[in-house]
């Protein structure tokens, strides 16, 4: 409608109209480009919100019991154990403390999704297996910095390892998620064509997919396409649909694999970098550098404790390790005594009264051992040992505030090959010890460093050509714009292209770039250029997203190899040294199938693999699905916090407002089978600090709350807890971006 001032009879009315027009103008000008034409919010399901994704499909909250949330007795992990020793799993600590020489059957170098998948597969066998990771947690390399897409495999060149393993791995994810509950969304993918030339590409991709064995592919025409995805670029005319494609949160997937592997007997040591490999006879001998963050080492030294995180000088820490070693000693000695008692009971040459005494004594030893091993005595309590109930308020007050500006935590490209923000250089690591590890078989899953590891045995048959992939992450209010993962037609050189995708948790993810590190111009692109590239490309797929809703940015380094394909084979230098290298996209999709292949290669190399009859494939999730704020409480630090003992209070106490993470979820993560000593590790497992406020101190201060809980549960000072570095790999100028930067993002979206 139109209105003129001649229609207004009073000055007050004229002022009112001016206010209305001004307000309307400000509202419209603040909207993203084309926002007025955006389709309505479809309210797509989000993981953890009134339900969860389980086995590829969303399960409503009332149906989660027994499916996504199984009975604890059916799962592998024991939630009542104390937290792990520093930088190693409990069983690894026992092996390290053993006075006898330990020779592992298999050592896996690298705990990304590939190494963790192999570890989990090997845990099905009665082997002594060690998983070594150079970074400060599992999944810190390329696994952490990728799209999380479980590709279908239609665009991989027939006859390659990519084509061989992608579809096979894709088909394993539904059952894997039913067992491990990491969250798998079977959302499908669409490759969009906007002209006749691109229609020919869709036909070629479909034929290639059929050659690779990919099922259910079809070309969707425009009318049906826009019913499926109303927010697509209006220029789209058709798309190739792969309904079997899905997505996961990649680090949550790797954590689930590694957890279940360790629960079933695999040992894990983190912050361990293999620096040299030699061989004596049939045994590999690894020189391993153990490092710890500089701030942690300094904090330990100030308290008179050992810098390597082992038994402190005052003998007051690492009680969990002491309990584990004591349990082991009791189990061995008790078993020996009971065996002798059984022999005497069955010995007919001994008098009946003596046999009866032996029977009673054996029974007494059995009962006493059971109480000590499985009971709740103060010496071997199931709960983490603490000196006394601890106030979180006091610990939070001692925490340093989160870092959100400056460049001290900048991650260099070379650091991304060995853990990114969790690499030793990124956190100013200090070497605190050297270890010798012996094994019969070695699996090289070292990602960006796999060529370096290969050269340690004189194998120079390949080298890694890392390709950087940058992403932007948008708020949950943007995730409704796509249900499928949306691809452009692929580039013959740069691959699948920049995509638009809703994540498992409802965010919208944009990216990646494809910056080859051997190309100076691509490697050294400015943050502004990277953002402009992503936003302008994604606009051509889905023009309705709001770039001002960006709240996080990150980058990953993909391990492309000089051979142009995945390398999954024994080394030509030594048949017991298995390469699993150069695994770039779609490596995540292929990971479970690759793990099966590696087991076969080990068997072919002569490794005897008796079944592990106690293997338990099931793992309980860390997160608890929620229905809004039902049963939850928010408030300032100290109002709702527990003292670390009352689980009912922990379950209601929200310590991250954006993601509704509870104190109990953090505590349970800490008591699992992987070592956790940083807010970043908890962030990956529970999403505390992962929401749109990015742990802003003035909002809810969740990073300090998490720091305090880690300190309490691990029985350490807050100075020993690692915090999130900044800027890591982000292209944003600050962690909490302001209106000026949001306006810059909007301008970059509009670039041609």
């Amino acid at each position: 409608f139109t209105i003129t001032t001649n229609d207004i009879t009073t000055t007050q009315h004229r002022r009112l109209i001016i206010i209305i027009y001004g307000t309307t103008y400000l509202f419209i000008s603040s909207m993203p480009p084309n926002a007025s034409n955006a389709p309505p919010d479809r309210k797509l399901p989000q993981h953890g919100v009134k339900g969860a994704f389980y086995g590829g499909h969303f399960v409503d909250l009332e149906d989660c019991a027994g499916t996504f949330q199984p009975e604890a007795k059916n799962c592998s992990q024991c939630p009542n154990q104390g937290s792990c020793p520093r930088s190693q799993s409990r069983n690894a600590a026992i092996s390290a403390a053993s006075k006898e020489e330990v020779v592992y059957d298999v050592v896996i170098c690298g705990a990304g999704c590939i190494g963790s998948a192999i570890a989990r597969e090997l845990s099905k066998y009665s082997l002594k297996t060690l998983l070594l990771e150079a970074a400060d947690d599992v999944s810190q390399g390329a696994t952490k910095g990728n799209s999380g897409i479980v590709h279908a495999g239609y665009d991989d060149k027939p006859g390659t390892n990519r084509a061989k393993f992608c579809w096979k791995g894709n088909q394993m994810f539904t059952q894997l998620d039913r067992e491990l509950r990491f969250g798998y969304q079977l959302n499908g993918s669409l490759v969009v064509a906007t002209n006749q030339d691109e229609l020919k590409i869709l036909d070629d991709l479909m034929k290639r997919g059929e050659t690779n064995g990919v099922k259910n592919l079809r070309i969707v025409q425009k009318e049906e396409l826009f019913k499926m995805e109303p927010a697509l670029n209006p220029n789209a005319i058709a798309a190739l649909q792969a309904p079997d494609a899905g997505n996961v949160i990649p680090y949550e997937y790797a954590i689930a694999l590694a957890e279940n592997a360790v629960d079933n007997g695999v040992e894990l040591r983190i912050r361990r970098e293999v620096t040299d490999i030699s061989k004596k006879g049939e045994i590999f001998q690894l020189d391993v550098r153990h490092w710890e963050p500089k701030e942690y080492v300094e904090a330990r030294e100030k308290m008179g404790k050992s810098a390597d995180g082992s038994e402190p000088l005052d003998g007051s820490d690492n009680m969990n390790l002491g309990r584990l070693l004591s349990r082991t000693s009791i189990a061995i000695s008790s078993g020996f005594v009971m065996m002798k008692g059984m022999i005497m009971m069955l010995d007919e040459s001994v008098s009946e009264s003596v046999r009866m005494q032996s029977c009673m004594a054996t029974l007494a030893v059995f009962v006493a051992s059971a109480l000590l091993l499985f009971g709740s005595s103060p010496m071997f309590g199931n709960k983490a040992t603490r000196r006394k109930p601890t106030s979180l308020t006091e610990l939070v007050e001692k925490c340093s505030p989160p870092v959100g500006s400056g460049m001290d935590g900048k991650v260099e490209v070379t650091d991304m090959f060995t853990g990114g923000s969790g690499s030793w250089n990124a956190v100013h690591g200090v070497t605190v010890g050297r270890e010798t590890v012996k094994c019969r078989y070695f699996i090289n899953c070292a990602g960006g460093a796999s060529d370096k590891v290969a050269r340690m045995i004189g194998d120079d048959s390949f080298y890694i050509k890392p390709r950087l992939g940058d992403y932007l992450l948008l708020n949950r209010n943007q995730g409704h714009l796509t249900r499928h993962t949306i691809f452009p037609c692929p580039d013959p050189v740069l691959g699948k292209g920049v995509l638009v995708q809703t994540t498992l948790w409802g965010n919208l993810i944009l990216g990646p770039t494809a910056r080859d590190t051997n190309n100076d111009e691509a490697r050294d692109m400015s943050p502004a250029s990277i953002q402009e590239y992503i936003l302008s490309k994604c606009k051509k797929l889905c023009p309705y997203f709001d770039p001002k809703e960006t709240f996080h940015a990150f980058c990953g380094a993909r391990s492309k190899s000089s051979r142009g394909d995945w390398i999954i084979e024994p080394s030509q230098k030594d048949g017991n040294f298995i390469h699993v290298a150069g695994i770039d996209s779609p490596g995540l999709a292929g990971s479970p199938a690759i793990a099966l292949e590696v087991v076969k290669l080990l068997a072919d190399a002569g490794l005897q693999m008796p079944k592990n009859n106690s293997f338990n494939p099931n793992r309980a999730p860390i997160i608890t699905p929620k229905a809004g704020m039902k049963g939850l409480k928010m408030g300032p630090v100290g109002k709702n916090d527990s003292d670390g003992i009352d689980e009912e209070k922990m379950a209601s106490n929200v310590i991250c407002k954006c993601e509704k993470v509870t104190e109990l979820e953090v505590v349970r993560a800490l008591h699992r089978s992987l070592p956790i000593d940083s807010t970043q590790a908890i962030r990956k497992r529970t999403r505390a600090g992962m929401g749109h406020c990015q742990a802003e101190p003035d909002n809810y201060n969740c990073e300090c709350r998490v720091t305090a809980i880690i300190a309490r549960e691990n029985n350490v000072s807050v100075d020993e807890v690692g915090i999130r570095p900044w800027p890591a790999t982000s292209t944003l100028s600050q962690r909490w971006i302001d209106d000026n930067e949001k306006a810059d993002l909007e301008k970059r979206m509009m670039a041609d």
Side-chain angles (χ1 to χ4, degrees), residues 624-661:
T624 300
K626 303 171 182 73
M629 284 299 295
K630 184 178 179 181
L632 303 178
K633 296 180 180 179
M634 291 185 185
V637 175
K639 181 178 181 181
N640 302 310
D641 299 331
S642 80
D643 58 5
I645 297 173
D646 186 346
E647 287 198 1
E648 185 175 343
K649 197 168 185 180
M650 290 185 201
S652 65
N653 179 32
V654 173
I655 56 92
C656 172
K657 183 167 66 173
C658 297
E659 298 295 317
K660 296 186 176 70
V661 180

Side-chain angles (χ1 to χ4, degrees), residues 394-435:
E394 294 177 9
L395 292 173
V396 169
E397 289 173 352
K398 295 177 181 178
C399 292
S400 300
V403 180
S405 60
M407 298 298 289
D408 186 58
K410 177 70 174 176
V411 172
E412 302 298 333
V413 171
T414 52
D415 298 332
M416 296 173 69
F417 307 159
T418 53
S421 61
S423 66
W424 75 276
N425 191 52
V427 294
H428 312 294
V430 176
T431 300
V432 296
R434 304 204 77 91
E435 300 167 355

Side-chain angles (χ1 to χ4, degrees), residues 86-389:
R86 176 84 182 187
S87 297
Q88 57 189 332
S89 59
R90 300 177 187 89
N91 53 2
I94 292 174
S95 291
S98 173
K99 294 181 180 179
E100 298 181 4
E101 181 181 67
V102 177
V103 179
Y104 291 94
D105 293 306
V106 182
V107 167
I108 304 166
C109 182
C113 68
I114 304 297
S116 297
I118 294 169
R120 199 248 183 179
E121 201 61 40
L122 287 177
S123 73
K124 297 177 181 178
Y125 303 91
S126 293
L127 300 169
K128 194 162 184 63
T129 303
L130 174 64
L131 181 59
L132 290 175
E133 172 53 50
D136 64 357
D137 193 9
V138 303
S139 79
Q140 285 288 70
T143 297
K144 183 178 69 174
N146 71 76
S147 313
I149 300 169
V150 181
H151 291 278
Y154 52 78
D155 64 337
D156 300 309
K157 184 179 179 180
T160 62
N161 278 333
R162 289 188 182 90
K164 178 180 178 180
F165 295 111
C166 182
W167 171 251
K168 183 179 178 181
N170 169 288
Q171 292 295 287
M172 297 172 68
F173 267 81
T174 294
Q175 182 59 30
L176 271 175
D177 189 44
R178 287 173 182 158
E179 294 173 351
L180 300 178
R181 298 168 177 85
F182 46 82
Y184 172 48
Q185 181 182 18
L186 194 60
N187 65 321
S189 67
L190 294 169
V191 182
V192 177
T194 58
N195 55 55
Q196 293 300 314
D197 290 338
E198 290 182 342
L199 279 179
K200 295 177 183 177
I201 295 175
L202 298 188
D203 289 332
D204 291 342
L205 288 174
M206 187 166 176
K207 291 175 183 176
R208 179 178 286 192
E210 290 169 348
T211 301
N212 292 342
V214 181
K215 307 296 184 185
N216 306 318
L217 296 173
R218 69 189 187 102
I219 304 293
V220 179
Q221 300 303 322
K222 184 168 186 175
E223 183 177 355
E224 182 184 2
L225 177 61
F226 278 88
K227 288 180 180 178
M228 296 166 63
E229 293 292 353
L232 285 178
N233 187 328
N235 294 330
I237 58 175
L240 173 66
Q241 184 190 25
D244 288 276
N247 74 82
V248 298
I249 303 300
Y251 43 83
E252 293 183 19
Y253 166 62
I255 287 166
L257 290 166
E259 266 190 12
N260 191 242
V262 172
D263 290 336
N264 284 292
V266 172
E267 299 176 19
L268 169 71
R269 300 184 203 174
I270 59 174
R271 300 189 178 97
R272 265 46 173 216
E273 181 184 1
V274 176
T275 57
D276 189 39
I277 302 174
S278 59
K279 196 169 187 184
K280 295 182 179 179
E282 296 300 311
I283 304 299
F284 290 107
Q285 186 165 298
L286 317 178
D287 181 57
V288 179
R289 182 171 70 93
H290 175 196
W291 66 271
E292 295 288 347
K294 180 181 178 182
E295 291 185 357
Y296 167 78
V297 173
E298 292 175 346
R300 296 281 292 184
E301 290 176 344
K302 286 179 182 178
M303 294 181 287
K305 298 181 179 180
S306 61
D308 64 358
S310 62
E311 189 66 23
L313 302 180
D314 62 6
S316 63
D317 207 355
N318 276 337
M319 289 175 276
N320 294 328
L321 175 56
R323 290 200 304 277
L324 283 167
L325 294 173
S326 299
R327 285 176 187 265
T328 304
S329 300
I330 287 172
I332 294 171
S333 59
S334 299
F336 178 77
V337 170
M338 286 188 287
M339 182 180 68
K340 295 288 288 184
M342 291 291 292
I343 293 172
M344 188 168 288
M345 287 164 55
L346 299 172
D347 190 349
E348 294 182 357
S349 65
V350 178
S351 66
E352 185 175 345
S353 61
V354 172
R355 282 190 288 169
M356 182 60 70
Q357 290 174 8
S358 297
C359 178
M360 297 301 293
T362 302
L363 181 61
V365 170
F366 174 79
V367 173
S369 300
L371 288 172
L372 286 170
L373 289 171
F374 306 110
S376 300
S377 68
M379 184 177 180
F380 302 112
N382 284 336
K383 298 294 182 184
T385 301
R386 304 187 195 96
R387 294 181 178 86
K388 61 181 180 179

Side-chain angles (χ1 to χ4, degrees), residues 251 473 551-552 656 659 683-684 687-692 694-695:
Y251 43 83
L473 193 64
F551 68 95
H552 182 49
C656 172
E659 298 295 317
R683 185 168 172 258
K684 290 191 298 181
R687 296 187 61 79
M690 195 76 79
H692 68 271
Q694 291 291 284

Side-chain angles (χ1 to χ4, degrees), residues 1-21:
F1 67 93
T2 58
I3 189 168
T4 67
T5 54
N6 293 329
D7 299 318
I8 308 301
T9 57
T10 69
T11 302
Q12 285 185 327
H13 286 167
R14 289 193 182 101
R15 288 174 179 170
L16 178 61
I17 291 298
I18 291 170
I19 291 171
I20 293 172
Y21 266 103

